[in-house]
Structure formats: structure tokens, C-alpha cells
Amino acid sequence: MEQKKQNPTAENETLIVSRRIQRVSLHLAPVPRPLHEHDTQEQLGLFPCARSAKLEVETEKLSLYMRGKYREIQEKIYEYFHARPELQTPLEISKDDHRELCWRQMYGLIKEAGIRPLKYVVEDPGKYFAIVEAAGAVDISLGIKLGVQYSLWGGSVINLGTKKHKDKYFEGIDSLEYPGCFAMTELHHGSNVQGLQTVATFDPITDEFIINTPSDGAIKWWIGNAAVHGKFASVFAKLMLPAHDAKGVSDMGVHAFIVPIRDLKTHQALPGIEIHDCGHKVGLNGVDNGALRFTSVRIPRDNLLNRFGDVSRDGKYTSSLPTINKRFAATLGELVGGRVALASSSTSVLKIANAIAIRYSLLRQQFGPPKQPEVSILDYQSQQHKLMPMLASTYTFHFATSYLVEIYSQMKTTHVEQLVGDVHTLSAGLKAYVTSYTAKSLSVCREACGGHGYAAVNRFGILRNDHDIFQTFEGDNTVLLQQVAADLLKQYKQKFQGGTLAVTWNYLRESMNTYLSQPNPVTARWEGTEHLRDPKFQLDAFRYRTSRLLQSAAVRLRKHSKTLGGFGAWNRCLNHLLTLAESHIESVILAKFIETVEKCPDASTRAALKLVCDLYALNQIWNDIGTYRNVDYVAPNKAKAIHKLTDYLSFQVRNIAKELVDAFDLPNHVTRAPIAMQSEAYAQYTQYVGF
């Protein structure tokens, strides 16, 4: 009797389990397989698109189109580290050991592999950024340390100095004989560079500058290469000249000075210089960040990096630029290369995370329809929604940052004023947008790999910790987005005054009136696939949103400035302005991706990129569908069609996800996580970790 009483319970449990499996199967979009005679595609909940043909993608052609002419130099770096396993960063390493390893990695790259980055900083910035990207793929600390040595320390000497400085320091910097630092940030001042407190006072008697740290808040802080390896520093300080007035000195604004900080032979700190270690950090512990305090440190007058302002022997100041603000803007304008490098490097980190998460998701199997094999977790719609739009964004960022590198290189060779402004704002926006997106995506990738993603060997924790600071250095992201918003408002004002707009902002001049008019009630209801996948519709939608945000921001600022003043009005509208900046950057990103697709010479590669571009565009529109619905730019039926088509495109991208990830062409010792290296059987992973 007792056994009979238990049977109904057992049967109920079986039914419950069966129902749960059936419900889970409704989330599947599995790879089509032969069906059992009692199964139908409708029962499995397949999208209609699952029956469509898979795109044929030739990985080699796609990779060549993406990586282009810098593929060879990156392969050289990858091959060097593959042949030197002792230079690959282990999982468990102390701060001090990591710093020494990072130095040996950089030294080997320069001395053994024959990579000489500094000449590319000058002659071919695109090649330099490719070197930094490849080095960062090996160890992000290495990429950052290279950037400190060549882009920041070396770049400041080259870009802010004159011929005498290049003649004296170029070879030593390039060969690592003169390892150096970039000493701008202070304990109390980071983003507000004009507020720096370190002073450099000219002594006309000895023909020297005297560098002083007047307070604890003026200590140079977070200075890369300072704690252990640096022998020189580009020190940013207020230039003070003797004056015959009550103050006794004249403040000429922030300038850069070459200051030796350690003896070239003994490596001991020089007199008047205190060097402290900033200690263990959340990430990037291969980079030796330190703090510098200066007490009456004397340097020759020639150590002033005098491209934009000079001091004569008798203490007279001369400059081709008439005001402190113009000199300051010119100085910072020459340093935007760091932002370009970070946007590019952040995209590289996103590629690695995508490769690991997507390869794992293709192989890992969980659940499945009754009496059928388990299916790949990338066949779950939820997993596709996590990873496929991210993969599309990765491609979008790749081409956008490639464009940024291209116009930055043009700026360095032509010095066209209009291009300088364009690069300054676009580098600020892309650096902020891409690094913020990557930081969030790293956590999504970790989660998408479940418990295995939490193992340190699978790199997500390391990538996340090392990359996190990308959102802060070379300009805090919130501050950089405000720069973009400010420039947009300036362009908006010029539009109505008939002024010349920068290249990136041409659409404001050409189409502002169209975008600000009432939405067309007919096109607002068009829901055909051909229309939704039309690049014109997609780009118009992005630009419509940006234009409305820009107009409404201008109106709000004008209103609030009457009662709150300029600063108060800006602060009242700050979140609105940040949204405006992000919207503009998304418009630029999409425009460049569309252009890249149209230029692609190979038909199959072009079709794959078009699919990825459509997913990026429609997913972004869907994510902000409330904005479009509020102004009737998109009718309810069209919104529903966009949602369905986004699901369709996400599945289609899933079908070629392996080829898209393989086209990144990252070697196994870069995506060295076991879950990313599996090819045939999951048993390879369990054997690797000793199960």
C-alpha cells in the first residue's frame, strides 16, 4: 500500500520535469537536425529564419579585410611570445615579479624581436597602435607600459619639444636606454589639468628652472614607470617667470619639462626627488605606478619642451599662440594619441572576451528536447541576446577605431586645423564609449560562461581588472563625454550662424531641419524587412535621435542659464548632455560601419558584414525604442517588427559566430583559456584541469 501511495508522486515529478524541459526547449533555436517522426519544427519553437541558408564566410578574406596592412607586425609579436613561454604571464604572480616580467617582456620585444615603436609614433601611428594592441593581447600591462614609454614619455618629447630635444633623447627613448614617465596627474588634480599646482620657476641668474611640489596635493600620483624603472619624467608644471610687480612672478600656464629622476648609472633617486610606490592595484600590476615629490630640483632652461612657448636667456617669454588657453589647448591636442590607443586597445580586449565566451558557448551543451541530445548553449535565445549584439558591437568598434587611427595619422602629417578639432572630439567620444561598453561586456562574458568563466585560467577576471582603469586614465569618461557634448553645442550654434562644421558633424548642417520636423506618418509604419535593413533608415533613425537631443539640450541650457548661470545650467542638464554625446558617437560609429560594408570588395565578406551591421543598428534602435515611440518616429507595429527582425538577425549571426570570431585571428597563447581552445571534445578541458 505504501508503495502504491508513492507512485502518483513519482509520476507527478516525472511530468513536472518533462514540462520544465519542454518549457526550456521553447527558448531554443537549435541547429537544424533530423527530426523524429513524432516531432515537428513548430514543437521546438524554431524561428522561421532557422530554415534559411547559412551564409558562407571565408575567414581568411574577412580577417585580411579587418586587419589589413598591420597584420604582419602583429604576427611577428605573437610569434615572438609564442616562442618564449618564459615571457608569458603566469596566473599566480606577485606584484614585484610581475613588474620585472613586464620589463623583460618589453625589453625582449625591443632588443630581441627588433620592434622599435618610437619611429612609428612619428612616421606611421597606425602601425604603432597595432603594436600596442598586439602587446596588450599578450598582457595588458605590457601594452600599457609600452604606451607609457613611447606614447606618453616619448610622445611628449617629440610632440611638445623641438629639434634639440629629439636629437638628444629620441634614440635613448627608442632603445629603452632612457626609460621614462609622464608626470601630469597630481594627488588633488587629475582631469582638471589647468589646476595643477606643481611649479617651475625660472632663475635668470643660473639659467635654470626650479621644480617644486608646493603641497601634498601637488605630489605627482599614479605615474607609470616611476616606482621602479623610470629615469626621466615629462613633468607638467606652471611656468613662473620673474615679474616687476606686487606678485613678483608671472604665471604663464602649464608647460612640460624634462626632469631626470634617477641616476643613469646607479639608478638612485637624484637629489631633491622623492619617489614612492603606489603599491598593489586592482589590476595592471605589471606597471610600476609611483608618486613623485620635487624639492628645489634644478634643470637647465633647455629642458623646457618649448614647441608652443619658450623662455629666452634673459627671462623673456615668447609664443606663437597669444593666450594661455590657446597654448594649453595646443599642448593637450598633441597628446590625444593616448586616447586613440586606449579606444583601439579596449576593442582588442573585447575581441579576446568575445572569442573566449563564444567558443565556449558553441561547445558547451546543456538540456535539450525530450529524448534528443543536449544542445549548444549558444542555441538558447537568451545566450544569443547576450553575445551576438556584443559581437556585432565588437566589429563596429573595430572599424570605428580604425577610422579614428586613420584620421589621427592624417592629422599628424597635415596639421589641418579642422581635422585637429575633429580628432580631438572623436577620440574623446570613442575612448569613453568603447571603454565603458567593454567594461560592462567583460562581466556579461564571464556570466555567459557560467562557473567555468570564474576560473582565473579563463582570463575574464584578469581582463576585467586590467581593463577597468581604461575608463579613467587619459581622461575620465564622464569628462570626455562632456567635451563631446560641448563641441556638439558649438557646432549647433555654428550651424545657425552659417559657419563651417567639422567633417564628423556634416549631418547637422545637411539634415538638421529634416530630423527636427514631424516624423512622416507613412514611413513610421513601414515594417518590411527590406526597409528595416536599409542603411538609410538605420542611419536616419540614429541621427534623428541625436538631433532631437541636441536641440532639446540647447533649449534647456538657455532656459536654466537665466536663473542658474552657465555652470549651474550645465550641471542641471548633465545627464541629458551625456546621453547626447553617446548618441552622437553611436551615429558616427554606424556611419563608418555602413561605409566599410559598402567598400568591401568580396561579396561573401560584404554579406557577412552587412548582417552584423544590421544587427548592431536594429539592436541599438530597439534598446532605445521608447525614445522613438514617444515622438511617433516608430509606430507600434514597426517597433514589433524591429524586435522580431533583431531576433532573426541575432540567430543568423549565431550561425556564423565561429567564423566571425576566428577572423579576429588571435593565436591560442593569447586566448589561452582552456574553454576557448576546445575544438572537438569537452573532455579536453576536464583533462586539462586534472579531472
Side-chain angles (χ1 to χ4, degrees), residues 191-218:
S191 299
N192 182 14
V193 179
Q194 283 185 298
L196 296 180
Q197 297 175 353
T198 302
V199 294
T201 305
F202 181 62
D203 182 350
I205 298 175
T206 61
D207 196 25
E208 294 173 318
F209 286 103
I210 307 170
I211 312 297
N212 272 298
T213 302
S215 65
D216 287 350

Side-chain angles (χ1 to χ4, degrees), residues 324-468:
I324 286 179
N325 286 340
K326 285 188 178 295
R327 292 193 293 270
F328 178 74
T331 297
L332 292 192
E334 287 298 322
L335 303 175
V336 299
R339 295 173 184 172
V340 178
L342 282 183
S344 178
S345 296
S346 183
T347 302
S348 177
V349 172
L350 190 57
K351 290 176 188 175
I352 295 170
N354 269 261
I356 296 171
I358 289 172
R359 286 173 180 169
Y360 173 76
S361 298
L362 284 166
L363 185 68
R364 176 72 163 174
Q365 296 178 341
Q366 289 288 286
F367 303 108
K371 299 181 181 180
Q372 292 190 37
E374 291 187 305
V375 300
S376 161
I377 62 172
L378 198 56
D379 285 333
Y380 285 86
Q381 190 183 71
S382 55
Q383 192 81 342
Q384 291 171 16
H385 280 194
K386 286 179 184 176
L387 298 179
M388 294 305 97
M390 187 190 301
L391 179 57
S393 293
T394 305
Y395 267 79
T396 310
F397 297 164
H398 170 85
F399 292 116
T401 54
S402 295
Y403 167 71
L404 176 60
V405 168
E406 179 185 330
I407 61 171
Y408 173 79
S409 300
Q410 292 175 9
M411 180 200 76
K412 296 297 290 182
T413 56
T414 64
H415 302 289
V416 175
E417 185 175 351
Q418 188 175 352
L419 196 57
V420 170
D422 208 27
V423 169
H424 177 75
T425 305
L426 187 56
S427 64
L430 275 177
K431 182 269 181 185
Y433 190 90
V434 172
T435 57
S436 293
Y437 184 94
T438 298
K440 297 180 182 73
S441 298
L442 286 166
S443 291
V444 174
C445 286
R446 202 294 304 158
E447 180 189 351
C449 292
H452 291 306
Y454 200 61
V457 71
N458 293 322
R459 293 199 75 186
F460 291 122
I462 297 168
L463 291 172
R464 185 168 55 189
N465 289 349
D466 283 351
H467 176 274
D468 193 63

